[in-house]
Amino acid sequence: MNLTRRYSTLLNQMCMSSLEGSPSRRAFSPAPAVKPAAEIRRDNLGVDKSALQVKSAGTSITGVVSACPMGAKSSRPFSALAQTLSSSTLEQRVEHLEQEDLSVLDPDQLLRECQEVLQSRPTRPRRNLIRPEEDPSSSGHRLGPSVRIMQWNILAQALGEGKDGFVRCPLEALNWKERKYLILEEILTRRPDVVCLQEVDHYYDTFQPVMAGLGYHGSFLAKPRSPCLDVEKNNGPDGCALFYRRSRFSPRSHAHLRLSAAAIPTNQVAIAQVLQCRLTGRQLCVAVTHLKARSGWERLRSAQGADLLRRLGGLSAARTHPLVVCGDFNAEPSEDVHRRFRASPLGLHSAYKLLSADGRTEPPYTSWKIRPSGESRGTLDYIWYSRGALRVDGLLDIPGEEQIGPDRLPSFHYPSDHLSLICDISFWGESIR
């Protein structure tokens, strides 16, 4: 078996499609039985480490592959385990496992594997990294290399196939067996240090094991009442996920937040993670969120944004260290929630404004889709950063209408109805530690 095929086997087993034979909300089955511990070698997650060996450059690397026996009918290796454990308990065990610095995937080889799987699809238009004009508010000098941050609503699989009704998108473009490779290809191509995702409903069976194998630590927080659970053969609730590269950052603290409006808890969530850069010693607070969708909910989005700002302001790290807030705000720049972030005492600035000629205008769109109700195009996704404490070194451009294509998003080129955003930032200060 050649090296590419070995990686194909590994990735397919780590990212087994959970839409085939997975239980729905109405028939939530318990985790399948596993062999007694004495019969099989296992790590801290109860994972069969003897299931697969991958060799790279003559070195034997043990793959963390499946949380259920090979050949079992369930195709939800990590989801099955997640059904029997709380997410916090599972994340503690994953974190303990990651401290052993297990790495099973070569990113270059995995990227080639993704591209091989996608070779029958049309070539995706190239997006370029743009260096914005010098920000006059920045002072001091740059500390260390840039930190690359990705913001992306990846489109929950259950919603894409079961609820959203993208009338011009071919059904084949929504097939998870291939769409996951397009998502992973985008991440592997950009190589971010921090990844902020929304609408993640394949965390435990795809993103957590793959990203851990690539050297990231992840955190996930599901919506309390996810609409994914109303779809037959769903993979569980969707939510926000935050990953950071362990070789670049060490964790300091984190918070899982359920956003409120008028002191009433809502269905939207956020994750805040305080990280310390291993190169500069500087700390950075990163938050990811996903505010209420659809027209008519502007006041609720504004209240959720105000609650998030208040709670971030209550974190000492967010007050004393640079802050980055990523999210699908489901809000145009004209909405009140955008004004709240612009005027926040936390000193936040929208990074993608720097792509405009005047440095004050948001992109024309970050999402463009056609549903039965009609065509909608809007700027909904943002990366906010502490202006002055951080400098923006580069931004991934927004593809033009011709690149998007007449059928809009999602498509064979773009796996989500939202575009990925990339922002390279650097710390500013007096000296490197």
Side-chain angles (χ1 to χ4, degrees), residues 134-375:
E134 190 80 20
D135 188 344
S137 68
S138 298
S139 60
H141 61 271
R142 174 176 166 179
L143 303 182
S146 296
V147 175
R148 175 159 292 182
I149 296 177
M150 170 179 274
Q151 150 59 30
W152 199 8
N153 179 331
I154 62 172
L155 176 62
Q157 185 63 25
L159 300 183
E161 286 193 309
K163 294 195 74 170
D164 280 339
F166 300 113
V167 295
R168 299 277 291 273
C169 178
L171 290 178
E172 296 84 356
L174 294 173
N175 185 337
W176 181 246
K177 286 184 177 180
E178 291 194 17
R179 195 171 78 90
K180 66 188 175 188
Y181 287 95
L182 205 55
I183 296 172
L184 290 172
E185 181 195 34
E186 179 75 357
I187 295 173
L188 289 162
T189 299
R190 306 304 172 189
R191 305 288 171 93
D193 299 298
V194 180
V195 184
C196 296
L197 304 178
Q198 300 86 38
E199 288 198 24
V200 179
D201 61 348
H202 276 271
Y203 180 79
Y204 292 109
D205 68 347
T206 299
F207 292 102
Q208 191 284 320
V210 173
M211 296 296 281
L214 291 168
Y216 291 84
H217 174 77
S219 182
F220 174 73
L221 183 58
K223 295 175 184 174
R225 300 179 302 277
S226 168
C228 292
L229 297 177
D230 296 326
V231 179
E232 294 289 344
K233 296 184 179 181
N234 63 75
N235 195 57
D238 75 300
C240 292
L242 190 153
F243 298 92
Y244 62 87
R245 194 184 297 279
R246 287 179 285 134
S247 62
R248 185 69 190 272
F249 293 104
S250 57
R252 284 297 170 263
S253 63
H254 78 277
H256 282 188
L257 309 174
R258 183 176 179 181
L259 301 181
S260 297
I264 299 174
T266 68
N267 195 38
Q268 278 62 50
V269 298
I271 300 172
Q273 176 75 61
V274 180
L275 302 167
Q276 183 166 12
C277 179
R278 298 183 187 274
L279 299 177
T280 65
R282 290 299 181 92
Q283 291 191 17
L284 175 69
C285 182
V286 182
V288 55
T289 194
H290 188 187
L291 303 186
K292 174 64 181 175
R294 302 194 185 281
S295 175
W297 295 94
E298 291 81 4
R299 292 179 65 184
L300 179 58
R301 283 192 287 272
S302 179
Q304 290 175 336
D307 184 50
L308 178 58
L309 289 168
R310 177 183 63 80
R311 295 169 79 174
L312 289 175
L315 299 174
S316 60
R319 294 196 309 269
T320 58
H321 300 293
L323 174 65
V324 174
V325 183
C326 298
D328 173 4
F329 281 57
N330 278 305
E332 293 282 359
S334 58
E335 281 197 27
D336 189 58
V337 66
H338 192 280
R339 181 196 62 78
R340 285 185 181 275
F341 269 72
R342 293 197 312 267
S344 166
L346 296 175
L348 298 174
H349 187 73
S350 178
Y352 263 76
K353 283 186 175 182
L354 297 177
L355 281 184
S356 65
D358 61 4
R360 300 178 181 178
T361 307
E362 296 284 5
Y365 51 83
T366 61
S367 177
W368 197 345
K369 66 201 81 175
I370 304 175
R371 287 174 168 155
S373 57
E375 185 169 354

